[in-house]
């Protein structure tokens, strides 16, 4: 497959691996409401994503991002002007990390325009797999032409859609009231409103040439070169069942009724018009109504646009991630639609805009999609900032790291899966025939220096007792030292890894 090359490509492909693991610190005074439907993280998304991986890898159903487009503008709240290769260096490691968050039935949606869109498509093909490319949505963003444009006035943005797996199936869209309104019920059919369907087919059909007599005695046959689309017997059966319409005076050619209750929801299409999902003007108005008279974020997306994405890609309760959160639109929409969410934003507007917007959402704000989804408020979110790195500059485990923190990192580096509930014993769990244990921070209740962090015979006995009867797989043990001989380790099928060195080497 042809690949995109740029000056720092090799380095950029490795840069996500080199980002240190950091912890997340909650800022309780900025968290809001009950429960933790949402997680709002202020910080650079490369570091924040790395910090979140041990918790959420493989668990996110839908990622939506709206990164800076590299439009060579400096916006009020962020700069959008990077040298071309630098933009690629920024986006590539982030996309590589984002991929690790997607569940097997997940999808990622990326807003972009012509400044970087075509380069982005090529790198996304490489990272997500060309066969997993679903489509490009064209979103009509402009309400009116910009006459000051030097050449063309751009009306649209792109949204690239990739699935984690090519078997991904989008949910269908509900039919709009406007689309339903064309169904009528002039004959009070108890099955409800219907549309008169064409009785003819163009394709030759062996049972499609006959003459039929209507209720008034008038005879009908298909126009020259066309055929009835159903056989004569079928037409008579449908007529007996009241499913054929002969016109208001019962003297017209037969039509086959298509009932509203029998038509399915709509397959998503790729052209998303402003009348259906809003435009840039819609989103600016949404923010203006949310915070009248205040200085607002300059490049928000409209709530109905994100609503459509989340409708197609998620169900209530699913987890949604946006790592370029901006004014908080994805989080606000996910919250109102009953999805769980994670939002990352590095600017101060994480606090001044996103947190405030979500506080209003929890209080029941009635703008954006609120009416459409019947939103009346509720739920809550936690606000976090990036905390200390798991390792200090010398590669030692930071003194602030607790057993649970390190357990998540150790488990994730062994399995690439998040650890569920952290156990209160050294045995973290089993995965694909191997068991993983961590001896750290007095987990064995021994408070002497390094006590309980050393693999000795008694500690090994404790670990083995905690394993299910008959477990024959490898036991990986992390600890500060090992007192067992190489022969014993081999005999007992134990792989000893020394903390911190063996973990640090794998981050
Ligand atoms: C185009 S805006 C997103 C707008 C958003 N979709 C909305 O509806 O408000 C892009 C955002 O990404 C943020 N951003 C850019 N680089 C980032 C990074 N490395 N980490 C976290 N946020 C970043 C910017 O501060 C900006 O708020």
């Amino acid at each position: 497959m042809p690949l995109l090359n740029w000056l720092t490509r090799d380095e950029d492909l490795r840069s996500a691996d080199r980002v240190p693991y950091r912890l997340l610190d909650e800022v309780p005074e900025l968290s809001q409401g009950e429960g933790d439907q949402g997680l709002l993280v202020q910080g650079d998304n490369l570091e924040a994503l790395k910090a979140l991986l041990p918790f959420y890898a493989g668990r996110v159903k839908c990622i939506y991002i709206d990164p800076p487009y590299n439009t060579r503008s400096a916006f009020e709240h962020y700069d959008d002007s990077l040298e071309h290769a630098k933009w690629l260096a920024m986006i590539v490691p982030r996309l590589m990390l984002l991929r690790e968050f997607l569940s097997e039935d997940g999808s990622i949606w990326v807003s972009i325009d012509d400044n970087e869109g075509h380069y982005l498509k090529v790198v996304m093909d490489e990272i997500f797999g060309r066969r997993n490319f679903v489509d490009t949505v064209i979103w009509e963003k402009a309400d009116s032409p910009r006459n000051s444009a030097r050449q063309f006035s751009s009306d649209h943005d792109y949204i690239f859609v990739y699935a984690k797996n090519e078997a991904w199936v989008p949910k269908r869209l509900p039919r709009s009231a406007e689309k339903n309104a064309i169904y009528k019920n002039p004959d009070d059919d108890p099955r409800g409103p219907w549309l008169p369907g064409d009785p003819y087919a163009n394709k030759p059909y062996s049972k499609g040439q006959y003459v039929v007599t209507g209720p008034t005695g008038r005879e009908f046959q298909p126009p020259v070169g066309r055929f009835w689309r159903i056989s004569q017997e079928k037409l008579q059966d449908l007529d007996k069942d009241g499913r054929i319409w002969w016109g208001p005076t019962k003297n017209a050619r037969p039509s086959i009724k298509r009932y509203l209750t029998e038509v399915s929801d709509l397959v998503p299409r790729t052209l998303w018009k402003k009348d259906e999902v809003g435009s840039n003007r819609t989103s600016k108005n949404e923010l203006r109504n949310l915070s009248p008279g205040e200085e607002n974020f300059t490049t928000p997306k409209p709530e109905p646009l994100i609503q459509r994405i989340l409708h197609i890609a998620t169900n209530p309760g699913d987890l949604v991630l946006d790592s370029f959160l901006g004014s908080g639109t994805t989080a606000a929409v996910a919250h109102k639609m009953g999805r769980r969410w994670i939002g990352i934003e590095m600017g101060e507007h994480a606090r001044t805009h996103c947190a405030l917007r979500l506080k209003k959402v929890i209080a029941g704000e009635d703008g954006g999609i609120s009416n459409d989804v019947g939103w009346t408020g509720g739920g809550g979110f936690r606000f976090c900032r990036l905390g200390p790195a798991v390792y200090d500059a010398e590669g030692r485990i930071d003194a602030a790291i607790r057993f649970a923190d390190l357990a998540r990192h150790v488990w994730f580096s062994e399995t690439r899966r998040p650890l569920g509930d952290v156990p209160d014993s050294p045995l973290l769990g089993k995965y694909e025939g191997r068991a993983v244990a961590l001896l750290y921070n007095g987990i064995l209740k021994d408070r002497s220096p390094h006590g309980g962090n050393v693999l000795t015979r008694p500690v090994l006995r404790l670990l083995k007792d905690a394993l299910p009867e008959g477990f024959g797989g490898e036991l990986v043990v992390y600890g500060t030292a090992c007192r067992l001989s190489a022969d014993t380790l081999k005999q007992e099928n134990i792989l000893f890894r020394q903390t911190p060195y063996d973990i640090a080497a794998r981050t």
Side-chain angles (χ1 to χ4, degrees), residues 44-45 66 78 297 299-301 324 326-327 329 345-346 349:
D44 183 290
N45 50 22
D66 177 17
Y78 65 99
F297 188 76
T299 56
K301 290 288 183 281
F324 294 87
S327 65
T329 314
E345 172 53 58
M346 70 177 177
H349 46 291

Side-chain angles (χ1 to χ4, degrees), residues 41 43-46 64-69 75 77-79 90 94 283 287 297 299-302 306 322-330 344-347 349 357:
V41 182
D44 183 290
N45 50 22
L46 196 60
Y64 169 74
I65 56 167
D66 177 17
Y69 290 0
F75 292 116
H77 295 98
Y78 65 99
D79 193 12
M90 182 280 289
R94 286 163 175 86
S283 38
L287 289 193
F297 188 76
T299 56
K301 290 288 183 281
I306 308 299
D322 182 343
S323 54
F324 294 87
L325 194 61
S327 65
T329 314
T330 308
I344 306 169
E345 172 53 58
M346 70 177 177
H349 46 291
R357 179 172 185 175

